[in-house]
Amino acid sequence: FSTNGTTFEALSPDVEITPPNLADFNTGQAAVVDDDGTADFDNIQEAIDIALPMFQTILVMPGHYSGQVTVPAGASEFCIRGLGDVTLENTNGPALLLGSSNSVSIENITLQGNPALSDALSGPDYLMHARQCQFRRYAGDGPTIELTNSGDVVLFDCEIDNDKAGDVLRSSGPARVTARHCAFHAWNSTGNALFLDEPTRAGDFESCQLDAWDSAGRALYVRGGSDDGAQFLHCSLDSGILATNSDYTLVFRNCDIEAGLAIHNPAGQQVKAYECLIDENDTRRLGVEVIGGWGNIWLRNCDIRTTSNSALRVRDSTAEVRVKNCELHAYDGNTIEVVSSGGVSVGVDAYRCR
């Protein structure tokens, strides 16, 4: 017998313990799913189709559940909660497919599919919360989470990885992502941890880890976009940042950025970094690089370090680059490098830097 799982003692005389029959529990306003057939339902989709809206919570007992789960359009606010080791897997498509104008929360569930989560069925105004969940790509080339429609995805204490091929989270256009205490791992040769493709809505990331293990991928890749921006607070971006042809604002506060911050052909973009450490890695020896375009690049109280490259390089860009109270270290290169060709007026405003 043990009360802590570490120290055990023998009971004398022997004591017979009968585990409770979970089927006898009064679950109130919750429907129970168990793949062994002893609960209200034996699969999650059946529970959603029949139990809603009478029940607002679906409790899923430990087990491996196969097939796609689709949240119907207009579903009222409800929660799918895993009790123990619960895996939802679809080998032929999304594990979880969101409908439009619904609100759903999922907790303590591993989702594995192609992708694990998709909003392809959604119209506007869906809302999904995920807490303490794992999202994984099952097979093939593509993202683990793919968002293409107008809605909100909120992730808390989740792990999202892709060890097959492709990005970890790919968001296109009007989707909004909020993440707290999450990890995004691109464990493959092609993917980015976070790919924002033509984003138009705000994003908010706090205390998150984003990394891509191969030199081809980035912790954050932003392509195009306008109207709004994303903020990163106390985040670790281990494989660099690349923003191309964008007017999408990026703000970094108290972040560790490894493998550099690259801004290429900004289209009026604002990029602001406050109290960040920006460093190179073994495969991408880059500090801060601005090439072409125009916009506003502000660096405040940052520590920027490189070895063989320039700590700050501005080339053929009319962007307003302001550096204040920063430390710039280039051990075998230029601290600040400004390059102009073809008559482009290029400049850097540095104040109280060393």
PDB file of all heavy atoms in Angstrom, residues 28-49:
ATOM      1  N   GLY A  28     -23.886  13.822 -13.920  1.00  0.00           N
ATOM      2  CA  GLY A  28     -24.660  15.053 -14.035  1.00  0.00           C
ATOM      3  C   GLY A  28     -24.835  15.484 -15.467  1.00  0.00           C
ATOM      4  O   GLY A  28     -25.338  14.736 -16.306  1.00  0.00           O
ATOM      5  N   GLN A  29     -24.389  16.703 -15.784  1.00  0.00           N
ATOM      6  CA  GLN A  29     -24.554  17.265 -17.119  1.00  0.00           C
ATOM      7  C   GLN A  29     -23.402  16.902 -18.046  1.00  0.00           C
ATOM      8  O   GLN A  29     -23.066  17.661 -18.948  1.00  0.00           O
ATOM      9  CB  GLN A  29     -24.684  18.789 -17.024  1.00  0.00           C
ATOM     10  CG  GLN A  29     -25.963  19.261 -16.362  1.00  0.00           C
ATOM     11  CD  GLN A  29     -27.194  18.794 -17.132  1.00  0.00           C
ATOM     12  OE1 GLN A  29     -27.283  18.980 -18.337  1.00  0.00           O
ATOM     13  NE2 GLN A  29     -28.144  18.189 -16.428  1.00  0.00           N
ATOM     14  N   ALA A  30     -22.779  15.754 -17.829  1.00  0.00           N
ATOM     15  CA  ALA A  30     -21.675  15.305 -18.667  1.00  0.00           C
ATOM     16  C   ALA A  30     -22.008  13.956 -19.288  1.00  0.00           C
ATOM     17  O   ALA A  30     -22.566  13.070 -18.633  1.00  0.00           O
ATOM     18  CB  ALA A  30     -20.390  15.199 -17.854  1.00  0.00           C
ATOM     19  N   ALA A  31     -21.672  13.809 -20.577  1.00  0.00           N
ATOM     20  CA  ALA A  31     -21.765  12.517 -21.245  1.00  0.00           C
ATOM     21  C   ALA A  31     -20.395  11.855 -21.187  1.00  0.00           C
ATOM     22  O   ALA A  31     -19.360  12.527 -21.288  1.00  0.00           O
ATOM     23  CB  ALA A  31     -22.199  12.700 -22.690  1.00  0.00           C
ATOM     24  N   VAL A  32     -20.368  10.545 -21.021  1.00  0.00           N
ATOM     25  CA  VAL A  32     -19.117   9.804 -20.873  1.00  0.00           C
ATOM     26  C   VAL A  32     -18.887   8.941 -22.108  1.00  0.00           C
ATOM     27  O   VAL A  32     -19.797   8.260 -22.587  1.00  0.00           O
ATOM     28  CB  VAL A  32     -19.133   8.940 -19.601  1.00  0.00           C
ATOM     29  CG1 VAL A  32     -17.817   8.172 -19.448  1.00  0.00           C
ATOM     30  CG2 VAL A  32     -19.371   9.806 -18.362  1.00  0.00           C
ATOM     31  N   VAL A  33     -17.636   8.984 -22.601  1.00  0.00           N
ATOM     32  CA  VAL A  33     -17.235   8.180 -23.753  1.00  0.00           C
ATOM     33  C   VAL A  33     -16.152   7.216 -23.305  1.00  0.00           C
ATOM     34  O   VAL A  33     -15.181   7.612 -22.653  1.00  0.00           O
ATOM     35  CB  VAL A  33     -16.698   9.070 -24.894  1.00  0.00           C
ATOM     36  CG1 VAL A  33     -16.246   8.204 -26.069  1.00  0.00           C
ATOM     37  CG2 VAL A  33     -17.744  10.074 -25.335  1.00  0.00           C
ATOM     38  N   ASP A  34     -16.311   5.944 -23.649  1.00  0.00           N
ATOM     39  CA  ASP A  34     -15.295   4.939 -23.334  1.00  0.00           C
ATOM     40  C   ASP A  34     -15.260   3.925 -24.469  1.00  0.00           C
ATOM     41  O   ASP A  34     -16.306   3.383 -24.859  1.00  0.00           O
ATOM     42  CB  ASP A  34     -15.603   4.242 -22.009  1.00  0.00           C
ATOM     43  CG  ASP A  34     -14.388   3.525 -21.442  1.00  0.00           C
ATOM     44  OD1 ASP A  34     -13.500   3.143 -22.237  1.00  0.00           O
ATOM     45  OD2 ASP A  34     -14.319   3.352 -20.209  1.00  0.00           O
ATOM     46  N   ASP A  35     -14.072   3.684 -25.005  1.00  0.00           N
ATOM     47  CA  ASP A  35     -13.982   2.794 -26.163  1.00  0.00           C
ATOM     48  C   ASP A  35     -14.201   1.328 -25.814  1.00  0.00           C
ATOM     49  O   ASP A  35     -14.260   0.481 -26.716  1.00  0.00           O
ATOM     50  CB  ASP A  35     -12.644   2.972 -26.887  1.00  0.00           C
ATOM     51  CG  ASP A  35     -11.444   2.673 -25.998  1.00  0.00           C
ATOM     52  OD1 ASP A  35     -11.636   2.445 -24.786  1.00  0.00           O
ATOM     53  OD2 ASP A  35     -10.312   2.681 -26.518  1.00  0.00           O
ATOM     54  N   ASP A  36     -14.342   1.009 -24.512  1.00  0.00           N
ATOM     55  CA  ASP A  36     -14.624  -0.387 -24.167  1.00  0.00           C
ATOM     56  C   ASP A  36     -16.120  -0.684 -24.109  1.00  0.00           C
ATOM     57  O   ASP A  36     -16.532  -1.801 -23.782  1.00  0.00           O
ATOM     58  CB  ASP A  36     -13.954  -0.760 -22.844  1.00  0.00           C
ATOM     59  CG  ASP A  36     -14.543  -0.027 -21.639  1.00  0.00           C
ATOM     60  OD1 ASP A  36     -15.525   0.732 -21.805  1.00  0.00           O
ATOM     61  OD2 ASP A  36     -14.006  -0.195 -20.526  1.00  0.00           O
ATOM     62  N   GLY A  37     -16.961   0.313 -24.404  1.00  0.00           N
ATOM     63  CA  GLY A  37     -18.396   0.089 -24.499  1.00  0.00           C
ATOM     64  C   GLY A  37     -19.157   0.099 -23.194  1.00  0.00           C
ATOM     65  O   GLY A  37     -20.334  -0.265 -23.162  1.00  0.00           O
ATOM     66  N   THR A  38     -18.539   0.569 -22.109  1.00  0.00           N
ATOM     67  CA  THR A  38     -19.210   0.552 -20.804  1.00  0.00           C
ATOM     68  C   THR A  38     -19.799   1.899 -20.412  1.00  0.00           C
ATOM     69  O   THR A  38     -20.371   2.024 -19.323  1.00  0.00           O
ATOM     70  CB  THR A  38     -18.224   0.114 -19.710  1.00  0.00           C
ATOM     71  OG1 THR A  38     -17.121   1.044 -19.661  1.00  0.00           O
ATOM     72  CG2 THR A  38     -17.691  -1.287 -19.989  1.00  0.00           C
ATOM     73  N   ALA A  39     -19.669   2.907 -21.261  1.00  0.00           N
ATOM     74  CA  ALA A  39     -20.136   4.253 -20.920  1.00  0.00           C
ATOM     75  C   ALA A  39     -21.333   4.636 -21.786  1.00  0.00           C
ATOM     76  O   ALA A  39     -21.931   3.801 -22.475  1.00  0.00           O
ATOM     77  CB  ALA A  39     -18.994   5.253 -21.073  1.00  0.00           C
ATOM     78  N   ASP A  40     -21.688   5.928 -21.749  1.00  0.00           N
ATOM     79  CA  ASP A  40     -22.827   6.402 -22.547  1.00  0.00           C
ATOM     80  C   ASP A  40     -22.594   6.195 -24.038  1.00  0.00           C
ATOM     81  O   ASP A  40     -23.527   5.869 -24.787  1.00  0.00           O
ATOM     82  CB  ASP A  40     -23.065   7.891 -22.266  1.00  0.00           C
ATOM     83  CG  ASP A  40     -23.341   8.185 -20.804  1.00  0.00           C
ATOM     84  OD1 ASP A  40     -24.058   7.381 -20.179  1.00  0.00           O
ATOM     85  OD2 ASP A  40     -22.837   9.201 -20.294  1.00  0.00           O
ATOM     86  N   PHE A  41     -21.355   6.417 -24.473  1.00  0.00           N
ATOM     87  CA  PHE A  41     -21.004   6.298 -25.896  1.00  0.00           C
ATOM     88  C   PHE A  41     -19.643   5.634 -25.996  1.00  0.00           C
ATOM     89  O   PHE A  41     -18.839   5.666 -25.056  1.00  0.00           O
ATOM     90  CB  PHE A  41     -20.959   7.680 -26.565  1.00  0.00           C
ATOM     91  CG  PHE A  41     -22.225   8.481 -26.426  1.00  0.00           C
ATOM     92  CD1 PHE A  41     -22.356   9.421 -25.407  1.00  0.00           C
ATOM     93  CD2 PHE A  41     -23.286   8.285 -27.285  1.00  0.00           C
ATOM     94  CE1 PHE A  41     -23.523  10.158 -25.258  1.00  0.00           C
ATOM     95  CE2 PHE A  41     -24.456   9.012 -27.149  1.00  0.00           C
ATOM     96  CZ  PHE A  41     -24.580   9.953 -26.139  1.00  0.00           C
ATOM     97  N   ASP A  42     -19.359   5.040 -27.157  1.00  0.00           N
ATOM     98  CA  ASP A  42     -18.048   4.429 -27.344  1.00  0.00           C
ATOM     99  C   ASP A  42     -17.183   5.192 -28.338  1.00  0.00           C
ATOM    100  O   ASP A  42     -16.062   4.782 -28.632  1.00  0.00           O
ATOM    101  CB  ASP A  42     -18.163   2.963 -27.765  1.00  0.00           C
ATOM    102  CG  ASP A  42     -18.928   2.778 -29.074  1.00  0.00           C
ATOM    103  OD1 ASP A  42     -19.170   3.786 -29.772  1.00  0.00           O
ATOM    104  OD2 ASP A  42     -19.276   1.620 -29.391  1.00  0.00           O
ATOM    105  N   ASN A  43     -17.687   6.319 -28.895  1.00  0.00           N
ATOM    106  CA  ASN A  43     -16.836   7.181 -29.719  1.00  0.00           C
ATOM    107  C   ASN A  43     -17.259   8.629 -29.544  1.00  0.00           C
ATOM    108  O   ASN A  43     -18.416   8.932 -29.208  1.00  0.00           O
ATOM    109  CB  ASN A  43     -16.853   6.756 -31.193  1.00  0.00           C
ATOM    110  CG  ASN A  43     -18.167   7.042 -31.876  1.00  0.00           C
ATOM    111  OD1 ASN A  43     -18.426   8.164 -32.307  1.00  0.00           O
ATOM    112  ND2 ASN A  43     -19.035   6.017 -31.969  1.00  0.00           N
ATOM    113  N   ILE A  44     -16.311   9.524 -29.778  1.00  0.00           N
ATOM    114  CA  ILE A  44     -16.506  10.940 -29.461  1.00  0.00           C
ATOM    115  C   ILE A  44     -17.500  11.588 -30.411  1.00  0.00           C
ATOM    116  O   ILE A  44     -18.335  12.396 -29.994  1.00  0.00           O
ATOM    117  CB  ILE A  44     -15.150  11.678 -29.502  1.00  0.00           C
ATOM    118  CG1 ILE A  44     -14.177  11.055 -28.485  1.00  0.00           C
ATOM    119  CG2 ILE A  44     -15.341  13.162 -29.203  1.00  0.00           C
ATOM    120  CD1 ILE A  44     -12.765  11.599 -28.579  1.00  0.00           C
ATOM    121  N   GLN A  45     -17.454  11.224 -31.695  1.00  0.00           N
ATOM    122  CA  GLN A  45     -18.360  11.851 -32.660  1.00  0.00           C
ATOM    123  C   GLN A  45     -19.809  11.554 -32.334  1.00  0.00           C
ATOM    124  O   GLN A  45     -20.676  12.427 -32.424  1.00  0.00           O
ATOM    125  CB  GLN A  45     -18.030  11.378 -34.079  1.00  0.00           C
ATOM    126  CG  GLN A  45     -18.803  12.107 -35.165  1.00  0.00           C
ATOM    127  CD  GLN A  45     -18.452  13.583 -35.223  1.00  0.00           C
ATOM    128  OE1 GLN A  45     -17.313  13.952 -35.452  1.00  0.00           O
ATOM    129  NE2 GLN A  45     -19.435  14.458 -35.002  1.00  0.00           N
ATOM    130  N   GLU A  46     -20.091  10.328 -31.937  1.00  0.00           N
ATOM    131  CA  GLU A  46     -21.457   9.958 -31.575  1.00  0.00           C
ATOM    132  C   GLU A  46     -21.936  10.776 -30.377  1.00  0.00           C
ATOM    133  O   GLU A  46     -23.096  11.209 -30.330  1.00  0.00           O
ATOM    134  CB  GLU A  46     -21.530   8.471 -31.262  1.00  0.00           C
ATOM    135  CG  GLU A  46     -22.948   7.974 -30.980  1.00  0.00           C
ATOM    136  CD  GLU A  46     -22.986   6.498 -30.637  1.00  0.00           C
ATOM    137  OE1 GLU A  46     -21.961   5.972 -30.150  1.00  0.00           O
ATOM    138  OE2 GLU A  46     -24.037   5.875 -30.841  1.00  0.00           O
ATOM    139  N   ALA A  47     -21.054  10.995 -29.424  1.00  0.00           N
ATOM    140  CA  ALA A  47     -21.414  11.798 -28.254  1.00  0.00           C
ATOM    141  C   ALA A  47     -21.747  13.230 -28.648  1.00  0.00           C
ATOM    142  O   ALA A  47     -22.712  13.819 -28.148  1.00  0.00           O
ATOM    143  CB  ALA A  47     -20.272  11.777 -27.243  1.00  0.00           C
ATOM    144  N   ILE A  48     -20.978  13.799 -29.570  1.00  0.00           N
ATOM    145  CA  ILE A  48     -21.252  15.163 -30.026  1.00  0.00           C
ATOM    146  C   ILE A  48     -22.581  15.224 -30.777  1.00  0.00           C
ATOM    147  O   ILE A  48     -23.410  16.116 -30.543  1.00  0.00           O
ATOM    148  CB  ILE A  48     -20.105  15.657 -30.924  1.00  0.00           C
ATOM    149  CG1 ILE A  48     -18.826  15.854 -30.101  1.00  0.00           C
ATOM    150  CG2 ILE A  48     -20.484  16.952 -31.627  1.00  0.00           C
ATOM    151  CD1 ILE A  48     -17.614  16.215 -30.923  1.00  0.00           C
ATOM    152  N   ASP A  49     -22.828  14.265 -31.648  1.00  0.00           N
ATOM    153  CA  ASP A  49     -24.020  14.297 -32.494  1.00  0.00           C
ATOM    154  C   ASP A  49     -25.301  14.093 -31.690  1.00  0.00           C
ATOM    155  O   ASP A  49     -26.347  14.672 -32.013  1.00  0.00           O
ATOM    156  CB  ASP A  49     -23.919  13.214 -33.573  1.00  0.00           C
ATOM    157  CG  ASP A  49     -22.812  13.484 -34.571  1.00  0.00           C
ATOM    158  OD1 ASP A  49     -22.360  14.645 -34.648  1.00  0.00           O
ATOM    159  OD2 ASP A  49     -22.380  12.535 -35.241  1.00  0.00           O
TER     160      ASP A  49
END
